[in-house]
Amino acid sequence: MDGNTASSTQLLRQINSEALLRFALQEQVFTAGEAMAATGLTRATVLGVCDGLVDAGWLEELTDARTEAGRLKGRPARQYQLREAAGVVVGLDAGEGYFTTIVADLRGRELGKRRQSIDSHALGRAGRVANARELIRLALEDVSCTPEDVLLTAVGVPAPIDANGASPAGGEFWQLMNSGFAGHLWGTVIVENDANLAAIAEQAQEPSANVATLLSGERFGAGLIVDGRLLRGRQGGAGEMRFLDELDSKFVPDEGSSDGFGALARKWARARIHSYDGETVLRQIPEGDINAEDVFQAARAGDPLAQDIIARLGVRLARIGVVLSSLLDIERVVIAGAISRAIEPVLEHARSLLPTDSGLPLPDLVASTLGAESVVRGAIESALMRIRREPSAFIPRAPRS
């Protein structure tokens, strides 16, 4: 066999192995016949590839319990499944004020989770990385795993991220958030913008070809999926919503800010509490302690000041929806993040303000069902997508002796 033939044979074997492994990553127990139907490979090839994947540590072969019990006669079908101990993936939401990490198996099932409040500005870049390492180590320990079990770690940060995982050099805050995780966490490490990961999580929940996921809390960013593809931009700035900083005050008074809905609700309540003429329960809360949850709770109870703030947020959201729909032909706008649990009154008001005479379909305005976990769930989904796309780039964990 010459070199070209050997190379071609090796390449074909790798292609077949990847096709079968992608199938196994999304199945439970399967037979050779089921793998043949899914991959188009012959029976002999499937059996040979399965044997190779068993030897490599990706698969395990099962015995047919029904045949052993004597209820069936003849040669049993060979059954396989993904080896549970082949490895795990880790998702990390590395926000400004908290870290959330999830350890999941290779089918995306959550094994363990930890959350920690942090002060990023006191910790600095090195401190953020050290805290992330320790939190992930503890989460792994909780589920009897070690760092060596991790095939891939996906990290979401509140900063623009380019295709190489870097943030624009001019942004001091962005550099703090994108702290250099890639060189210090376990397995292959990918770093992504948090809103993009929230969009990936939403896409896994409810696929849509054209959707904007607005991650809103203290800050505001959008993950944009257009024609089924995530938009990134030259330096990862697609969806940064910087246009909100420049909104003309004649059209949107006092709203020229890219703060998230949570930050705006708190800021507007504190700013207006002194000048408001009517009665409001928000005065019963020390001004410096008023938070977004207080505003939303007061609005639900009928407080007029809080309801006015909710209405202003609705105006803001309606304008954002119109801009996104006009520029990108978005069909759905999803509000994600912890604020999504309380955002329905804002959505209702925004829906009532959308223009009906534009001649174009209006975007659906909906709340995410993932709450505060949208980013970390998107990180897990992103990790699994990467492994499914190129499984041969990863080496499964060898059986422990």
Side-chain angles (χ1 to χ4, degrees):
M1 182 183 294
D2 61 30
N4 289 336
T5 302
S7 177
S8 298
T9 301
Q10 185 176 11
L11 178 60
L12 181 59
R13 186 180 299 117
Q14 179 180 327
I15 292 172
N16 291 341
S17 294
E18 289 200 341
L20 202 147
L21 189 48
R22 290 190 194 100
F23 170 71
L25 284 164
Q26 299 181 72
E27 294 295 320
Q28 299 296 322
V29 175
F30 64 91
T31 64
E34 290 166 336
M36 290 167 57
T39 63
L41 301 175
T42 66
R43 180 176 183 82
T45 299
V46 164
L47 292 175
V49 169
C50 283
D51 287 343
L53 291 174
V54 169
D55 292 341
W58 279 115
L59 300 183
E60 57 187 3
E61 185 173 0
L62 307 178
T63 57
D64 192 323
R66 295 172 304 169
T67 300
E68 289 181 349
R71 288 192 287 270
L72 290 176
K73 296 182 179 181
R75 185 178 180 180
R78 295 179 68 178
Q79 294 182 314
Y80 302 89
Q81 69 177 7
L82 190 69
R83 181 170 155 262
E84 295 291 336
V88 297
V89 294
V90 172
L92 174 67
D93 178 3
E96 180 182 1
Y98 61 86
F99 283 164
T100 303
T101 190
I102 287 178
V103 179
D105 67 16
L106 296 182
R107 292 193 182 93
R109 294 176 299 204
E110 179 183 316
L111 302 177
K113 176 171 60 182
R114 284 213 174 210
R115 182 179 173 92
Q116 175 187 37
S117 296
I118 60 167
D119 183 344
S120 290
H121 299 276
L123 288 172
R125 284 170 55 89
R128 275 172 57 84
V129 171
N131 273 46
R133 279 179 61 91
E134 179 62 10
L135 189 68
I136 292 172
R137 186 192 67 79
L138 291 172
L140 290 168
E141 187 178 274
D142 290 342
V143 296
S144 301
C145 290
T146 70
E148 289 72 28
D149 292 311
V150 180
L151 299 186
L152 191 150
T153 299
V155 184
V157 298
I161 303 294
D162 66 18
N164 298 314
S167 298
E172 183 178 338
F173 175 79
W174 293 338
Q175 292 301 313
L176 174 60
M177 294 299 100
N178 192 3
S179 308
F181 296 104
H184 299 89
L185 303 182
W186 295 288
T188 298
V189 180
I190 54 177
V191 180
E192 181 58 276
N193 171 261
D194 54 0
N196 285 350
L197 291 181
I200 290 171
E202 293 300 324
Q203 192 75 338
Q205 290 271 108
E206 186 177 344
S208 178
N210 298 282
V211 61
T213 299
L214 305 183
L215 186 61
S216 179
E218 290 300 302
R219 301 179 184 274
F220 205 18
L224 305 173
I225 293 177
V226 177
D227 294 336
R229 300 184 64 180
L230 182 70
L231 299 187
R232 184 179 300 280
R234 179 170 58 92
Q235 291 186 290
E240 275 299 303
M241 311 294 284
R242 287 189 293 272
F243 73 89
L244 294 174
D245 294 324
E246 309 297 332
L247 281 177
D248 191 328
S249 61
K250 290 186 295 183
F251 296 102
V252 192
D254 304 321
E255 295 186 18
S257 166
S258 56
D259 289 341
F261 289 130
L264 286 175
R266 181 186 67 244
K267 182 169 70 175
W268 290 346
R270 293 178 181 180
R272 297 188 61 194
I273 198 76
H274 297 297
S275 59
Y276 186 66
D277 293 332
E279 293 295 322
T280 173
V281 298
L282 294 177
R283 284 205 181 97
Q284 300 173 15
I285 306 170
E287 180 183 330
D289 294 338
I290 295 176
N291 57 38
E293 184 177 342
D294 296 324
V295 176
F296 280 89
Q297 183 174 345
R300 288 194 296 270
D303 184 275
L305 173 56
Q307 288 181 332
D308 180 63
I309 292 171
I310 295 299
R312 293 176 68 193
L313 291 174
V315 172
R316 182 177 181 80
L317 176 56
R319 292 183 180 275
I320 292 170
V322 169
V323 169
L324 292 174
S325 179
S326 299
L327 289 177
L328 301 173
D329 201 13
I330 292 296
E331 60 189 288
R332 186 158 54 96
V333 176
V334 182
I335 306 300
I339 199 73
S340 64
R341 302 292 192 195
I343 203 68
E344 187 57 35
V346 176
L347 292 171
E348 288 180 4
H349 189 63
R351 292 180 191 119
S352 73
L353 297 174
L354 290 175
T356 58
D357 57 355
S358 66
L360 295 173
L362 300 176
D364 292 329
L365 304 179
V366 300
S368 170
T369 61
L370 298 176
E373 292 189 356
S374 59
V375 174
V376 71
R377 294 289 175 186
I380 291 295
E381 183 63 26
S382 181
L384 294 172
M385 288 167 57
R386 174 74 173 271
I387 291 176
R388 291 169 192 150
R389 187 167 63 245
E390 44 184 324
S392 62
F394 301 90
I395 300 174
R397 175 75 160 141
R400 294 186 180 122
S401 55

